[in-house]
Amino acid sequence: MSDLPALPVTFRPRHTRVVLLSAGAAIFAVITTVAFLLEPLSPGERLSFVLTGAILFAVLALLARVKVVADESGVTVVNIVSRRRLDWAEIVQVNLRPGDPWVFLNLSDGTSLPALGIQPGIARQHAIADARALRALADARCARDPEPPRG
């Protein structure tokens, strides 16, 4: 059990996050610069350029916010526009199969929850290591705190 990460631990696609936030900042800067360099634009048109750049940055920032946070009592999955808190006992299985865009958590209620915070996009080996660490944590926590059988 010494190979388990120390809790709390946050899993997130760091490379993807850097790319998205950098692209968002660059897009905002370029659009804002263009708005002020174009002479014939009215103040309202300039403002619409700046707001468009801000909206594009905000969308990319939403895409970059994904993460999975594991602590002593459970896991918090933060996806693009949602956040869900799970107890360790609710996680039946952690899956990252070849070709999957991100980790899926199979839950005790029979559903599956995508965890976009672990995705093999740019850094495949890092995502595989994160998925294995989360799986090991889930297995260790469920073995320590077994849920009584239902039914």
Side-chain angles (χ1 to χ4, degrees):
M1 295 233 185
S2 61
D3 58 339
L4 293 177
L7 295 177
V9 62
T10 300
F11 302 103
R12 68 172 65 223
R14 287 173 186 86
H15 291 93
T16 302
R17 181 177 169 84
V18 167
V19 168
L20 289 170
L21 293 176
S22 298
I27 289 168
F28 178 76
V30 167
I31 290 175
T32 300
T33 301
V34 167
F36 287 100
L37 290 178
L38 291 176
E39 293 294 326
L41 294 181
S42 70
E45 290 170 326
R46 290 180 203 274
L47 180 62
S48 71
F49 269 69
V50 172
L51 288 176
T52 300
I55 289 170
L56 291 172
F57 178 80
V59 168
L60 292 176
L62 274 175
L63 293 172
R65 77 185 279 261
V66 298
K67 64 183 175 179
V68 177
V69 180
D71 59 32
E72 290 294 334
S73 61
V75 174
T76 302
V77 177
V78 179
N79 286 333
I80 296 170
V81 293
S82 67
R83 174 186 299 261
R84 182 157 176 202
R85 178 72 185 163
L86 302 166
D87 291 329
W88 285 111
E90 292 179 76
I91 302 171
V92 175
Q93 189 176 28
V94 177
N95 286 321
L96 180 59
R97 298 176 301 260
D100 280 351
W102 40 71
V103 163
F104 288 90
L105 304 177
N106 291 340
L107 306 179
S108 59
D109 65 1
T111 63
S112 182
L113 176 68
L116 279 63
I118 302 174
Q119 50 183 268
I122 296 174
R124 181 167 190 72
Q125 294 306 316
H126 183 71
I128 291 170
D130 285 353
R132 286 182 178 149
L134 183 59
R135 181 180 300 133
L137 284 168
D139 290 346
R141 298 293 171 194
C142 288
R144 191 180 74 187
D145 303 322
E147 188 176 321
R150 295 183 183 169

